[in-house]
Amino acid sequence: MLISGLILGFIFQRGRFCVTGAFRDVWLSRSTRWFNAFLLAIALQSVIVVALAGLGIVSPEVDKFAPFAVSIGSLLFGVGIVLSGGCATGTYYRAGEGLVGSWIALVLYALSSSVLKFGLGAGLTKKLRGATVNATTVYDTLGVPWWALSLLLAVGVAYLVIRELAATPKVAALPAKKTGVAHFLFEKKWHPYFTATLVGLLAAVAFPLSSATGRNAGLGITTPSAKLIQFLTTADISNVDWGVLLILGLIPGSYLAAKLSGEFRVRVPDARTAVRAVWGGLLMGVGAVWAGGCTIGNSLVDTALFGWQGWTAFLFTFLGVGLGARLFIQNHTRAGAALQPQPVLENA
């Protein structure tokens, strides 16, 4: 389990896998490269898990759908990851790179998720998450096989990926300083689709690995982060499960990747960035607990299972990122531009 986290952390850092950037790029620059890569990870995972389920190797469970909690929680989470400068995965791997701001966001994310899941806010969370409807999976609602939707998603994503690759011009690269495996692992810039493929494969493999320990679920970040806080504050070893061991490997894995590629450097944020990290971490924790998961548990894993929760969370996280980008990136950029001295035009 810990080894899986180390590998995943390494991949996240070297591949720069962060859903915040994938969603934000669509809003700010209309670029869909990373957005399509994220869809590729979902589709690949879905096809493999469908096959594993068909063979009786895994039997994934999908959470009951609480529309209000998922919608408002995901919207808050989307705004929070913009403030933090990264989603759950991005915050973990950037912490391993030496970004102190990510450490701040990560601590507040884990603390707030623990409070809302196990502490003072657990009652409110239970009430919100208890307001469910009689709809769990998209395929049950539509009355079609799971594999049919999975296949349809795979075909659609394949079309988007092929079209993007055909339209992407080749970019000249600097001469390599390393050779062989070292060049590929620690120097060469990984393509988003290659990174997404690795993430999708690991997300699928997580199901049988997790199931072997009695945890019938895929990748997850929020609940393990909350459980880690519970273990640190109560010393209750029962909180240390497969998910906790997984996230404990993320930072060392990303640190190893950053260190060996020359990208590790301790960077202390300015006061404004630090304050944003605090608020971003808090919103991430609250939003993810209410939504029943973050961009991994919901937008990557539950979407692959075609749960209503996953796809609703995907939509509202995307909208939250758009709102956050509008409030904290576009408006700030415009304000900064307005403060710049304007050129003086001479009279003709």
Side-chain angles (χ1 to χ4, degrees):
M1 291 74 76
L2 187 61
I3 294 175
S4 297
L6 287 168
I7 295 172
L8 201 57
F10 188 96
I11 293 172
F12 285 159
Q13 197 284 326
R14 286 295 293 124
R16 317 304 299 174
F17 188 85
C18 181
V19 183
T20 306
F23 288 178
R24 185 185 58 214
D25 288 350
V26 177
W27 290 105
L28 297 183
S29 62
R30 299 296 185 265
S31 172
T32 58
R33 193 184 195 197
W34 269 107
F35 186 87
N36 291 343
F38 187 55
L39 291 177
L40 174 60
I42 296 171
L44 179 59
Q45 177 192 190
S46 184
V47 169
I48 295 174
V49 175
V50 165
L52 292 175
L55 294 171
I57 298 175
V58 298
S59 53
E61 297 177 357
V62 181
D63 289 337
K64 292 182 178 179
F65 182 38
F68 178 76
V70 174
S71 301
I72 191 65
S74 298
L75 191 70
L76 291 175
F77 184 82
V79 174
I81 61 179
V82 172
L83 284 169
S84 299
C87 61
T89 59
T91 303
Y92 267 98
Y93 87 67
R94 288 189 175 95
E97 288 180 341
L99 271 68
V100 177
S102 291
W103 276 102
I104 296 172
L106 187 58
V107 169
L108 270 297
Y109 162 58
L111 282 173
S112 57
S113 61
S114 183
V115 170
L116 267 294
K117 197 169 186 67
F118 304 114
L120 292 175
L124 176 59
T125 298
K126 184 177 181 180
K127 185 175 182 179
L128 291 173
R129 294 287 304 162
T132 60
V133 296
N134 292 324
T136 303
T137 64
V138 178
Y139 53 85
D140 278 341
T141 301
L142 298 179
V144 298
W146 176 14
W147 63 263
L149 290 182
S150 182
L151 180 61
L152 182 63
L153 176 64
V155 171
V157 171
Y159 168 76
L160 293 175
V161 169
I162 293 172
R163 187 181 68 172
E164 176 101 17
L165 288 173
T168 302
K170 292 184 178 180
V171 180
L174 294 173
K177 296 180 180 179
K178 296 181 175 67
T179 59
V181 176
H183 168 66
F184 176 76
L185 290 178
F186 308 117
E187 184 180 31
K188 180 180 175 62
K189 184 178 181 181
W190 290 7
H191 194 283
Y193 294 156
F194 174 74
T195 302
T197 299
L198 293 181
V199 171
L201 289 172
L202 279 174
V205 171
F207 278 94
L209 290 178
S210 178
S211 179
T213 66
R215 176 181 176 271
N216 191 24
L219 292 177
I221 303 292
T222 301
T223 297
S225 297
K227 284 187 173 182
L228 178 59
I229 295 296
Q230 286 295 296
F231 168 70
L232 293 175
T233 55
T234 66
D236 183 356
I237 194 65
S238 65
N239 285 299
V240 182
D241 59 7
W242 189 93
V244 171
L245 291 175
L246 178 80
I247 65 167
L248 284 176
L250 293 179
I251 293 179
S254 62
Y255 167 77
L256 181 65
K259 190 68 175 178
L260 294 176
S261 62
E263 296 177 352
F264 177 82
R265 182 166 57 89
V266 177
R267 284 155 283 183
V268 180
D270 56 27
R272 177 173 168 274
T273 303
V275 170
R276 283 192 172 191
V278 169
W279 284 108
L282 289 172
L283 286 176
M284 284 172 64
V286 173
V289 170
W290 286 354
C294 62
T295 42
I296 294 298
N298 272 342
S299 298
L300 176 66
V301 175
D302 203 68
T303 49
L305 304 179
F306 280 91
W308 278 111
Q309 173 173 298
W311 284 105
T312 302
F314 185 104
L315 171 61
F316 278 89
T317 301
F318 179 74
L319 294 175
V321 169
L323 177 61
R326 178 66 180 269
L327 293 175
F328 304 112
I329 298 178
Q330 290 179 322
N331 287 347
H332 176 71
T333 301
R334 290 168 183 165
L339 293 175
Q340 296 295 320
Q342 300 299 312
V344 177
L345 301 178
E346 294 182 357
N347 293 328

mmCIF file of all heavy atoms in Angstrom, residues 181-228:
data_model
loop_
_atom_site.group_PDB
_atom_site.id
_atom_site.type_symbol
_atom_site.label_atom_id
_atom_site.label_comp_id
_atom_site.label_asym_id
_atom_site.label_seq_id
_atom_site.Cartn_x
_atom_site.Cartn_y
_atom_site.Cartn_z
ATOM 1 N N VAL A 181 17.123 5.504 -19.164
ATOM 2 C CA VAL A 181 16.037 5.546 -18.198
ATOM 3 C C VAL A 181 16.090 6.817 -17.356
ATOM 4 O O VAL A 181 15.058 7.410 -17.033
ATOM 5 C CB VAL A 181 16.083 4.294 -17.281
ATOM 6 C CG1 VAL A 181 15.013 4.389 -16.203
ATOM 7 C CG2 VAL A 181 15.904 3.028 -18.103
ATOM 8 N N ALA A 182 17.304 7.253 -17.009
ATOM 9 C CA ALA A 182 17.460 8.467 -16.197
ATOM 10 C C ALA A 182 16.886 9.676 -16.915
ATOM 11 O O ALA A 182 16.245 10.532 -16.290
ATOM 12 C CB ALA A 182 18.930 8.690 -15.861
ATOM 13 N N HIS A 183 17.087 9.766 -18.214
ATOM 14 C CA HIS A 183 16.531 10.872 -18.998
ATOM 15 C C HIS A 183 15.010 10.843 -18.971
ATOM 16 O O HIS A 183 14.361 11.878 -18.762
ATOM 17 C CB HIS A 183 17.026 10.786 -20.440
ATOM 18 C CG HIS A 183 16.303 11.696 -21.380
ATOM 19 N ND1 HIS A 183 16.381 13.068 -21.310
ATOM 20 C CD2 HIS A 183 15.455 11.420 -22.418
ATOM 21 C CE1 HIS A 183 15.626 13.601 -22.261
ATOM 22 N NE2 HIS A 183 15.053 12.631 -22.940
ATOM 23 N N PHE A 184 14.446 9.655 -19.152
ATOM 24 C CA PHE A 184 12.991 9.539 -19.180
ATOM 25 C C PHE A 184 12.368 9.820 -17.816
ATOM 26 O O PHE A 184 11.363 10.522 -17.715
ATOM 27 C CB PHE A 184 12.588 8.141 -19.651
ATOM 28 C CG PHE A 184 11.113 7.915 -19.624
ATOM 29 C CD1 PHE A 184 10.300 8.462 -20.601
ATOM 30 C CD2 PHE A 184 10.518 7.179 -18.611
ATOM 31 C CE1 PHE A 184 8.917 8.281 -20.576
ATOM 32 C CE2 PHE A 184 9.150 6.981 -18.578
ATOM 33 C CZ PHE A 184 8.352 7.533 -19.565
ATOM 34 N N LEU A 185 12.971 9.284 -16.761
ATOM 35 C CA LEU A 185 12.379 9.405 -15.433
ATOM 36 C C LEU A 185 12.582 10.774 -14.804
ATOM 37 O O LEU A 185 11.704 11.278 -14.098
ATOM 38 C CB LEU A 185 12.944 8.335 -14.496
ATOM 39 C CG LEU A 185 12.536 6.884 -14.759
ATOM 40 C CD1 LEU A 185 13.216 5.962 -13.763
ATOM 41 C CD2 LEU A 185 11.019 6.731 -14.679
ATOM 42 N N PHE A 186 13.730 11.390 -15.028
ATOM 43 C CA PHE A 186 14.073 12.584 -14.255
ATOM 44 C C PHE A 186 14.337 13.843 -15.080
ATOM 45 O O PHE A 186 14.626 14.889 -14.507
ATOM 46 C CB PHE A 186 15.300 12.294 -13.382
ATOM 47 C CG PHE A 186 15.162 11.070 -12.545
ATOM 48 C CD1 PHE A 186 16.011 9.990 -12.715
ATOM 49 C CD2 PHE A 186 14.161 10.974 -11.593
ATOM 50 C CE1 PHE A 186 15.870 8.837 -11.937
ATOM 51 C CE2 PHE A 186 13.998 9.840 -10.816
ATOM 52 C CZ PHE A 186 14.863 8.760 -10.992
ATOM 53 N N GLU A 187 14.245 13.754 -16.394
ATOM 54 C CA GLU A 187 14.527 14.944 -17.203
ATOM 55 C C GLU A 187 13.464 15.218 -18.256
ATOM 56 O O GLU A 187 12.983 16.348 -18.375
ATOM 57 C CB GLU A 187 15.893 14.783 -17.873
ATOM 58 C CG GLU A 187 16.342 16.012 -18.673
ATOM 59 C CD GLU A 187 17.692 15.813 -19.309
ATOM 60 O OE1 GLU A 187 18.038 14.657 -19.651
ATOM 61 O OE2 GLU A 187 18.417 16.812 -19.484
ATOM 62 N N LYS A 188 13.096 14.235 -19.006
ATOM 63 C CA LYS A 188 12.133 14.403 -20.089
ATOM 64 C C LYS A 188 10.776 14.831 -19.541
ATOM 65 O O LYS A 188 10.293 14.301 -18.536
ATOM 66 C CB LYS A 188 11.978 13.090 -20.860
ATOM 67 C CG LYS A 188 10.998 13.145 -22.019
ATOM 68 C CD LYS A 188 10.930 11.792 -22.700
ATOM 69 C CE LYS A 188 9.874 11.769 -23.798
ATOM 70 N NZ LYS A 188 10.175 12.736 -24.891
ATOM 71 N N LYS A 189 10.160 15.805 -20.208
ATOM 72 C CA LYS A 189 8.829 16.248 -19.817
ATOM 73 C C LYS A 189 7.805 15.222 -20.267
ATOM 74 O O LYS A 189 7.730 14.885 -21.440
ATOM 75 C CB LYS A 189 8.516 17.615 -20.445
ATOM 76 C CG LYS A 189 7.178 18.194 -20.012
ATOM 77 C CD LYS A 189 6.949 19.572 -20.622
ATOM 78 C CE LYS A 189 5.618 20.150 -20.177
ATOM 79 N NZ LYS A 189 5.373 21.496 -20.781
ATOM 80 N N TRP A 190 7.005 14.732 -19.323
ATOM 81 C CA TRP A 190 6.016 13.714 -19.646
ATOM 82 C C TRP A 190 4.806 14.328 -20.347
ATOM 83 O O TRP A 190 4.338 15.410 -19.971
ATOM 84 C CB TRP A 190 5.551 12.995 -18.383
ATOM 85 C CG TRP A 190 6.587 12.113 -17.761
ATOM 86 C CD1 TRP A 190 7.901 12.006 -18.128
ATOM 87 C CD2 TRP A 190 6.391 11.200 -16.677
ATOM 88 N NE1 TRP A 190 8.536 11.092 -17.327
ATOM 89 C CE2 TRP A 190 7.638 10.572 -16.430
ATOM 90 C CE3 TRP A 190 5.299 10.850 -15.888
ATOM 91 C CZ2 TRP A 190 7.817 9.630 -15.428
ATOM 92 C CZ3 TRP A 190 5.458 9.906 -14.889
ATOM 93 C CH2 TRP A 190 6.704 9.300 -14.669
ATOM 94 N N HIS A 191 4.304 13.636 -21.326
ATOM 95 C CA HIS A 191 3.110 14.093 -22.028
ATOM 96 C C HIS A 191 1.891 13.879 -21.124
ATOM 97 O O HIS A 191 1.808 12.870 -20.411
ATOM 98 C CB HIS A 191 2.928 13.318 -23.330
ATOM 99 C CG HIS A 191 1.951 13.930 -24.269
ATOM 100 N ND1 HIS A 191 0.580 13.827 -24.096
ATOM 101 C CD2 HIS A 191 2.127 14.689 -25.388
ATOM 102 C CE1 HIS A 191 -0.031 14.471 -25.070
ATOM 103 N NE2 HIS A 191 0.877 15.002 -25.876
ATOM 104 N N PRO A 192 0.940 14.808 -21.131
ATOM 105 C CA PRO A 192 -0.264 14.654 -20.297
ATOM 106 C C PRO A 192 -0.984 13.331 -20.517
ATOM 107 O O PRO A 192 -1.491 12.725 -19.559
ATOM 108 C CB PRO A 192 -1.134 15.843 -20.719
ATOM 109 C CG PRO A 192 -0.168 16.870 -21.171
ATOM 110 C CD PRO A 192 0.952 16.110 -21.815
ATOM 111 N N TYR A 193 -1.032 12.854 -21.761
ATOM 112 C CA TYR A 193 -1.755 11.620 -22.035
ATOM 113 C C TYR A 193 -1.002 10.401 -21.496
ATOM 114 O O TYR A 193 -1.624 9.407 -21.094
ATOM 115 C CB TYR A 193 -2.004 11.458 -23.533
ATOM 116 C CG TYR A 193 -2.944 12.510 -24.092
ATOM 117 C CD1 TYR A 193 -2.919 12.852 -25.437
ATOM 118 C CD2 TYR A 193 -3.850 13.170 -23.261
ATOM 119 C CE1 TYR A 193 -3.786 13.806 -25.951
ATOM 120 C CE2 TYR A 193 -4.707 14.131 -23.770
ATOM 121 C CZ TYR A 193 -4.675 14.452 -25.102
ATOM 122 O OH TYR A 193 -5.517 15.398 -25.597
ATOM 123 N N PHE A 194 0.316 10.464 -21.486
ATOM 124 C CA PHE A 194 1.099 9.387 -20.890
ATOM 125 C C PHE A 194 0.864 9.350 -19.380
ATOM 126 O O PHE A 194 0.638 8.280 -18.798
ATOM 127 C CB PHE A 194 2.585 9.582 -21.193
ATOM 128 C CG PHE A 194 3.482 8.591 -20.481
ATOM 129 C CD1 PHE A 194 3.549 7.275 -20.902
ATOM 130 C CD2 PHE A 194 4.234 8.985 -19.388
ATOM 131 C CE1 PHE A 194 4.358 6.360 -20.241
ATOM 132 C CE2 PHE A 194 5.047 8.082 -18.716
ATOM 133 C CZ PHE A 194 5.109 6.764 -19.151
ATOM 134 N N THR A 195 0.910 10.520 -18.760
ATOM 135 C CA THR A 195 0.658 10.605 -17.316
ATOM 136 C C THR A 195 -0.737 10.098 -16.986
ATOM 137 O O THR A 195 -0.928 9.327 -16.033
ATOM 138 C CB THR A 195 0.803 12.057 -16.835
ATOM 139 O OG1 THR A 195 2.106 12.536 -17.154
ATOM 140 C CG2 THR A 195 0.582 12.157 -15.330
ATOM 141 N N ALA A 196 -1.722 10.524 -17.762
ATOM 142 C CA ALA A 196 -3.111 10.112 -17.521
ATOM 143 C C ALA A 196 -3.271 8.604 -17.661
ATOM 144 O O ALA A 196 -4.040 7.975 -16.912
ATOM 145 C CB ALA A 196 -4.047 10.831 -18.488
ATOM 146 N N THR A 197 -2.557 8.015 -18.603
ATOM 147 C CA THR A 197 -2.612 6.565 -18.781
ATOM 148 C C THR A 197 -2.098 5.839 -17.543
ATOM 149 O O THR A 197 -2.706 4.877 -17.054
ATOM 150 C CB THR A 197 -1.796 6.130 -20.016
ATOM 151 O OG1 THR A 197 -2.356 6.745 -21.182
ATOM 152 C CG2 THR A 197 -1.821 4.621 -20.185
ATOM 153 N N LEU A 198 -0.971 6.311 -17.005
ATOM 154 C CA LEU A 198 -0.420 5.706 -15.795
ATOM 155 C C LEU A 198 -1.381 5.862 -14.614
ATOM 156 O O LEU A 198 -1.587 4.918 -13.844
ATOM 157 C CB LEU A 198 0.928 6.353 -15.458
ATOM 158 C CG LEU A 198 2.085 6.098 -16.421
ATOM 159 C CD1 LEU A 198 3.348 6.790 -15.913
ATOM 160 C CD2 LEU A 198 2.338 4.604 -16.593
ATOM 161 N N VAL A 199 -1.960 7.053 -14.483
ATOM 162 C CA VAL A 199 -2.899 7.291 -13.378
ATOM 163 C C VAL A 199 -4.129 6.409 -13.522
ATOM 164 O O VAL A 199 -4.618 5.822 -12.543
ATOM 165 C CB VAL A 199 -3.301 8.787 -13.325
ATOM 166 C CG1 VAL A 199 -4.434 8.997 -12.321
ATOM 167 C CG2 VAL A 199 -2.107 9.654 -12.950
ATOM 168 N N GLY A 200 -4.649 6.296 -14.738
ATOM 169 C CA GLY A 200 -5.819 5.452 -14.969
ATOM 170 C C GLY A 200 -5.544 3.988 -14.646
ATOM 171 O O GLY A 200 -6.383 3.301 -14.054
ATOM 172 N N LEU A 201 -4.359 3.500 -15.019
ATOM 173 C CA LEU A 201 -3.985 2.119 -14.729
ATOM 174 C C LEU A 201 -3.872 1.885 -13.226
ATOM 175 O O LEU A 201 -4.381 0.891 -12.690
ATOM 176 C CB LEU A 201 -2.661 1.769 -15.417
ATOM 177 C CG LEU A 201 -2.699 1.638 -16.947
ATOM 178 C CD1 LEU A 201 -1.281 1.487 -17.497
ATOM 179 C CD2 LEU A 201 -3.557 0.453 -17.364
ATOM 180 N N LEU A 202 -3.195 2.800 -12.532
ATOM 181 C CA LEU A 202 -3.038 2.648 -11.085
ATOM 182 C C LEU A 202 -4.378 2.765 -10.361
ATOM 183 O O LEU A 202 -4.614 2.081 -9.367
ATOM 184 C CB LEU A 202 -2.062 3.694 -10.555
ATOM 185 C CG LEU A 202 -0.578 3.360 -10.727
ATOM 186 C CD1 LEU A 202 0.296 4.533 -10.293
ATOM 187 C CD2 LEU A 202 -0.204 2.120 -9.938
ATOM 188 N N ALA A 203 -5.235 3.654 -10.856
ATOM 189 C CA ALA A 203 -6.564 3.798 -10.243
ATOM 190 C C ALA A 203 -7.357 2.501 -10.369
ATOM 191 O O ALA A 203 -8.094 2.111 -9.458
ATOM 192 C CB ALA A 203 -7.317 4.952 -10.901
ATOM 193 N N ALA A 204 -7.210 1.816 -11.511
ATOM 194 C CA ALA A 204 -7.911 0.546 -11.709
ATOM 195 C C ALA A 204 -7.319 -0.554 -10.831
ATOM 196 O O ALA A 204 -8.054 -1.332 -10.202
ATOM 197 C CB ALA A 204 -7.834 0.139 -13.187
ATOM 198 N N VAL A 205 -5.993 -0.603 -10.753
ATOM 199 C CA VAL A 205 -5.316 -1.620 -9.941
ATOM 200 C C VAL A 205 -5.616 -1.425 -8.459
ATOM 201 O O VAL A 205 -5.603 -2.383 -7.678
ATOM 202 C CB VAL A 205 -3.791 -1.575 -10.192
ATOM 203 C CG1 VAL A 205 -3.038 -2.450 -9.205
ATOM 204 C CG2 VAL A 205 -3.482 -2.010 -11.618
ATOM 205 N N ALA A 206 -5.916 -0.178 -8.067
ATOM 206 C CA ALA A 206 -6.208 0.113 -6.659
ATOM 207 C C ALA A 206 -7.410 -0.680 -6.150
ATOM 208 O O ALA A 206 -7.473 -1.009 -4.958
ATOM 209 C CB ALA A 206 -6.463 1.609 -6.468
ATOM 210 N N PHE A 207 -8.353 -1.011 -7.024
ATOM 211 C CA PHE A 207 -9.551 -1.738 -6.589
ATOM 212 C C PHE A 207 -9.213 -3.134 -6.054
ATOM 213 O O PHE A 207 -9.575 -3.470 -4.921
ATOM 214 C CB PHE A 207 -10.572 -1.816 -7.727
ATOM 215 C CG PHE A 207 -11.413 -0.584 -7.866
ATOM 216 C CD1 PHE A 207 -11.058 0.420 -8.745
ATOM 217 C CD2 PHE A 207 -12.564 -0.419 -7.107
ATOM 218 C CE1 PHE A 207 -11.832 1.566 -8.873
ATOM 219 C CE2 PHE A 207 -13.351 0.714 -7.233
ATOM 220 C CZ PHE A 207 -12.979 1.716 -8.115
ATOM 221 N N PRO A 208 -8.525 -3.991 -6.824
ATOM 222 C CA PRO A 208 -8.200 -5.304 -6.267
ATOM 223 C C PRO A 208 -7.190 -5.242 -5.118
ATOM 224 O O PRO A 208 -7.271 -6.045 -4.186
ATOM 225 C CB PRO A 208 -7.619 -6.067 -7.466
ATOM 226 C CG PRO A 208 -7.212 -5.031 -8.445
ATOM 227 C CD PRO A 208 -8.157 -3.897 -8.252
ATOM 228 N N LEU A 209 -6.249 -4.281 -5.165
ATOM 229 C CA LEU A 209 -5.287 -4.146 -4.072
ATOM 230 C C LEU A 209 -5.986 -3.754 -2.777
ATOM 231 O O LEU A 209 -5.690 -4.290 -1.701
ATOM 232 C CB LEU A 209 -4.224 -3.098 -4.429
ATOM 233 C CG LEU A 209 -3.224 -3.469 -5.526
ATOM 234 C CD1 LEU A 209 -2.271 -2.306 -5.780
ATOM 235 C CD2 LEU A 209 -2.450 -4.726 -5.160
ATOM 236 N N SER A 210 -6.914 -2.812 -2.890
ATOM 237 C CA SER A 210 -7.660 -2.362 -1.717
ATOM 238 C C SER A 210 -8.600 -3.452 -1.227
ATOM 239 O O SER A 210 -8.748 -3.681 -0.024
ATOM 240 C CB SER A 210 -8.452 -1.099 -2.063
ATOM 241 O OG SER A 210 -9.222 -0.665 -0.968
ATOM 242 N N SER A 211 -9.225 -4.154 -2.173
ATOM 243 C CA SER A 211 -10.170 -5.213 -1.816
ATOM 244 C C SER A 211 -9.484 -6.330 -1.038
ATOM 245 O O SER A 211 -10.079 -6.960 -0.159
ATOM 246 C CB SER A 211 -10.815 -5.774 -3.085
ATOM 247 O OG SER A 211 -11.714 -6.816 -2.786
ATOM 248 N N ALA A 212 -8.203 -6.572 -1.337
ATOM 249 C CA ALA A 212 -7.455 -7.633 -0.658
ATOM 250 C C ALA A 212 -7.271 -7.344 0.822
ATOM 251 O O ALA A 212 -7.026 -8.254 1.618
ATOM 252 C CB ALA A 212 -6.083 -7.809 -1.317
ATOM 253 N N THR A 213 -7.415 -6.072 1.215
ATOM 254 C CA THR A 213 -7.274 -5.694 2.620
ATOM 255 C C THR A 213 -8.622 -5.489 3.296
ATOM 256 O O THR A 213 -8.694 -5.029 4.431
ATOM 257 C CB THR A 213 -6.446 -4.401 2.753
ATOM 258 O OG1 THR A 213 -7.170 -3.297 2.175
ATOM 259 C CG2 THR A 213 -5.100 -4.532 2.057
ATOM 260 N N GLY A 214 -9.699 -5.795 2.567
ATOM 261 C CA GLY A 214 -11.032 -5.650 3.133
ATOM 262 C C GLY A 214 -11.657 -4.300 2.879
ATOM 263 O O GLY A 214 -12.737 -3.998 3.398
ATOM 264 N N ARG A 215 -11.005 -3.450 2.080
ATOM 265 C CA ARG A 215 -11.530 -2.117 1.760
ATOM 266 C C ARG A 215 -12.046 -2.157 0.325
ATOM 267 O O ARG A 215 -11.271 -2.151 -0.616
ATOM 268 C CB ARG A 215 -10.430 -1.066 1.919
ATOM 269 C CG ARG A 215 -10.829 0.352 1.526
ATOM 270 C CD ARG A 215 -9.620 1.292 1.704
ATOM 271 N NE ARG A 215 -9.910 2.649 1.252
ATOM 272 C CZ ARG A 215 -9.734 3.076 0.020
ATOM 273 N NH1 ARG A 215 -9.277 2.234 -0.917
ATOM 274 N NH2 ARG A 215 -9.999 4.329 -0.321
ATOM 275 N N ASN A 216 -13.354 -2.188 0.150
ATOM 276 C CA ASN A 216 -13.952 -2.344 -1.169
ATOM 277 C C ASN A 216 -14.131 -0.984 -1.843
ATOM 278 O O ASN A 216 -15.245 -0.477 -1.971
ATOM 279 C CB ASN A 216 -15.300 -3.067 -1.063
ATOM 280 C CG ASN A 216 -15.823 -3.488 -2.417
ATOM 281 O OD1 ASN A 216 -15.061 -3.663 -3.364
ATOM 282 N ND2 ASN A 216 -17.131 -3.642 -2.512
ATOM 283 N N ALA A 217 -13.020 -0.398 -2.271
ATOM 284 C CA ALA A 217 -13.065 0.931 -2.882
ATOM 285 C C ALA A 217 -11.806 1.147 -3.708
ATOM 286 O O ALA A 217 -10.875 0.334 -3.678
ATOM 287 C CB ALA A 217 -13.185 2.011 -1.808
ATOM 288 N N GLY A 218 -11.784 2.272 -4.440
ATOM 289 C CA GLY A 218 -10.624 2.612 -5.247
ATOM 290 C C GLY A 218 -9.776 3.659 -4.551
ATOM 291 O O GLY A 218 -9.719 3.732 -3.322
ATOM 292 N N LEU A 219 -9.118 4.484 -5.351
ATOM 293 C CA LEU A 219 -8.279 5.539 -4.795
ATOM 294 C C LEU A 219 -9.130 6.541 -4.021
ATOM 295 O O LEU A 219 -10.277 6.817 -4.380
ATOM 296 C CB LEU A 219 -7.532 6.278 -5.914
ATOM 297 C CG LEU A 219 -6.456 5.503 -6.675
ATOM 298 C CD1 LEU A 219 -5.880 6.390 -7.779
ATOM 299 C CD2 LEU A 219 -5.353 5.037 -5.736
ATOM 300 N N GLY A 220 -8.563 7.100 -2.981
ATOM 301 C CA GLY A 220 -9.242 8.130 -2.198
ATOM 302 C C GLY A 220 -8.221 8.962 -1.466
ATOM 303 O O GLY A 220 -7.165 8.461 -1.071
ATOM 304 N N ILE A 221 -8.511 10.225 -1.276
ATOM 305 C CA ILE A 221 -7.579 11.136 -0.613
ATOM 306 C C ILE A 221 -8.193 11.754 0.646
ATOM 307 O O ILE A 221 -7.548 11.843 1.690
ATOM 308 C CB ILE A 221 -7.140 12.278 -1.556
ATOM 309 C CG1 ILE A 221 -6.517 11.711 -2.835
ATOM 310 C CG2 ILE A 221 -6.164 13.204 -0.853
ATOM 311 C CD1 ILE A 221 -5.204 11.021 -2.644
ATOM 312 N N THR A 222 -9.456 12.174 0.575
ATOM 313 C CA THR A 222 -10.056 12.936 1.669
ATOM 314 C C THR A 222 -10.259 12.112 2.937
ATOM 315 O O THR A 222 -9.801 12.487 4.018
ATOM 316 C CB THR A 222 -11.403 13.535 1.222
ATOM 317 O OG1 THR A 222 -11.187 14.396 0.093
ATOM 318 C CG2 THR A 222 -12.022 14.345 2.355
ATOM 319 N N THR A 223 -10.966 10.989 2.842
ATOM 320 C CA THR A 223 -11.185 10.164 4.040
ATOM 321 C C THR A 223 -9.873 9.675 4.645
ATOM 322 O O THR A 223 -9.703 9.738 5.868
ATOM 323 C CB THR A 223 -12.108 8.976 3.713
ATOM 324 O OG1 THR A 223 -13.396 9.473 3.320
ATOM 325 C CG2 THR A 223 -12.283 8.076 4.932
ATOM 326 N N PRO A 224 -8.903 9.193 3.843
ATOM 327 C CA PRO A 224 -7.613 8.831 4.430
ATOM 328 C C PRO A 224 -6.913 10.001 5.130
ATOM 329 O O PRO A 224 -6.288 9.809 6.177
ATOM 330 C CB PRO A 224 -6.802 8.348 3.222
ATOM 331 C CG PRO A 224 -7.828 7.825 2.285
ATOM 332 C CD PRO A 224 -8.986 8.768 2.433
ATOM 333 N N SER A 225 -7.036 11.210 4.569
ATOM 334 C CA SER A 225 -6.420 12.380 5.207
ATOM 335 C C SER A 225 -7.078 12.659 6.553
ATOM 336 O O SER A 225 -6.400 12.980 7.542
ATOM 337 C CB SER A 225 -6.552 13.604 4.292
ATOM 338 O OG SER A 225 -5.855 13.414 3.080
ATOM 339 N N ALA A 226 -8.400 12.534 6.600
ATOM 340 C CA ALA A 226 -9.129 12.734 7.860
ATOM 341 C C ALA A 226 -8.768 11.645 8.874
ATOM 342 O O ALA A 226 -8.598 11.915 10.065
ATOM 343 C CB ALA A 226 -10.634 12.735 7.599
ATOM 344 N N LYS A 227 -8.639 10.402 8.395
ATOM 345 C CA LYS A 227 -8.280 9.311 9.291
ATOM 346 C C LYS A 227 -6.861 9.459 9.835
ATOM 347 O O LYS A 227 -6.574 9.064 10.968
ATOM 348 C CB LYS A 227 -8.421 7.968 8.565
ATOM 349 C CG LYS A 227 -9.855 7.502 8.391
ATOM 350 C CD LYS A 227 -9.906 6.093 7.825
ATOM 351 C CE LYS A 227 -11.330 5.558 7.797
ATOM 352 N NZ LYS A 227 -11.386 4.165 7.296
ATOM 353 N N LEU A 228 -5.983 10.021 9.026
ATOM 354 C CA LEU A 228 -4.614 10.251 9.493
ATOM 355 C C LEU A 228 -4.600 11.221 10.664
ATOM 356 O O LEU A 228 -3.882 11.010 11.653
ATOM 357 C CB LEU A 228 -3.754 10.789 8.345
ATOM 358 C CG LEU A 228 -2.300 11.113 8.691
ATOM 359 C CD1 LEU A 228 -1.574 9.884 9.218
ATOM 360 C CD2 LEU A 228 -1.579 11.678 7.466
#
